[in-house]
Amino acid sequence: DSVLATQLIARAAIEICRYKVALLKGDMTYRVGDEFFTKPPEDGTISSPLFSEALQRYIEEKSHKGDWRPEMVRDIEYLKRLLTGLIGDRALAGYSRSDFSHFCQLLQSLPKNTGKSAQLRGLTPKEMVELAARDSSIPCLSAKTVSKHMANLSGFMKWATKQGFCTENIAAEIYSKPK
């Protein structure tokens, strides 16, 4: 229906104008207000790829543009291993904020220097967390490292939202590093 299409284009143009005004005022937190653009489809489904597949696309896009150094690629690939190993690999739209909150809690229980420790080599992320829970002498990740992983997850989810794989960045502001 051409009338509906025209109305939707007009609504989208209004949202773009509101967004630009917010940016001009220095408001970087603007969120779309028109519920047509923010609510999920009527059947409640969003077609989205698996976390691991979408993250691989993200890595390829950022690497191709030259936005990242090799260390950043390594950090993001490690994030993929951690998240899929701790809470599972599923469609992006299938995760909830509480899933990512749980992931954050597990990160805080993950031993540090997992790649350097002979005791941890070959273990899955879940096995590492379980080992650290049994042995209090094993030091866990620092708050700074947990913060880095959660910031990387949030950056990825922001990108995934822009791609239409999910409706919002559910990883934003889950973890605040203790002062």
Side-chain angles (χ1 to χ4, degrees):
D1 179 49
S2 64
V3 173
L4 178 60
T6 303
Q7 289 173 341
L8 291 176
I9 291 169
R11 288 166 68 178
I14 290 168
E15 282 299 331
I16 291 169
C17 290
R18 288 178 179 156
Y19 172 70
K20 288 184 176 186
V21 168
L23 288 180
L24 288 172
K25 290 181 178 179
D27 180 5
M28 303 302 172
T29 62
Y30 177 79
R31 291 189 177 252
V32 174
D34 189 323
E35 78 170 24
F36 176 82
F37 300 106
T38 59
K39 71 178 183 180
E42 292 298 319
D43 64 2
T45 62
I46 294 175
S47 176
S48 66
L50 290 175
F51 173 84
S52 60
E53 294 168 353
L55 194 68
Q56 191 58 45
R57 285 177 57 183
Y58 179 58
I59 291 168
E60 289 167 6
E61 181 180 306
K62 293 292 188 176
S63 298
H64 180 72
K65 287 182 179 179
D67 292 347
W68 286 350
R69 297 183 317 268
E71 301 82 33
M72 184 63 171
V73 173
R74 186 188 67 236
D75 286 348
I76 298 296
E77 286 176 343
Y78 187 56
L79 172 67
K80 177 171 62 173
R81 178 173 178 246
L82 291 176
L83 191 133
T84 58
L86 291 171
I87 64 172
D89 192 17
R90 54 186 124 138
L92 282 177
Y95 289 105
S96 68
R97 188 163 174 83
S98 64
D99 290 325
F100 288 155
S101 185
H102 179 63
F103 172 66
C104 183
Q105 290 173 338
L106 292 171
L107 281 179
Q108 294 170 67
S109 303
L110 187 73
K112 69 180 191 176
N113 299 321
T114 56
K116 298 175 186 173
S117 168
Q119 182 183 19
L120 300 172
R121 201 165 290 126
L123 297 180
T124 67
K126 270 187 183 174
E127 292 168 336
M128 290 181 211
V129 168
E130 290 166 357
L131 179 64
R134 289 190 310 268
D135 184 350
S136 61
S137 70
I138 298 175
C140 294
L141 293 182
S142 68
K144 181 178 176 182
T145 302
V146 172
S147 183
K148 175 184 78 169
H149 288 310
M150 292 308 294
N152 287 342
L153 178 59
S154 181
F156 163 68
M157 290 301 293
K158 180 178 177 183
W159 173 88
T161 302
K162 288 179 182 178
Q163 303 305 308
F165 298 150
C166 44
T167 58
E168 64 179 305
N169 180 355
I170 58 173
E173 300 176 11
I174 285 181
Y175 181 75
S176 296
K177 184 170 63 170
K179 294 182 184 195

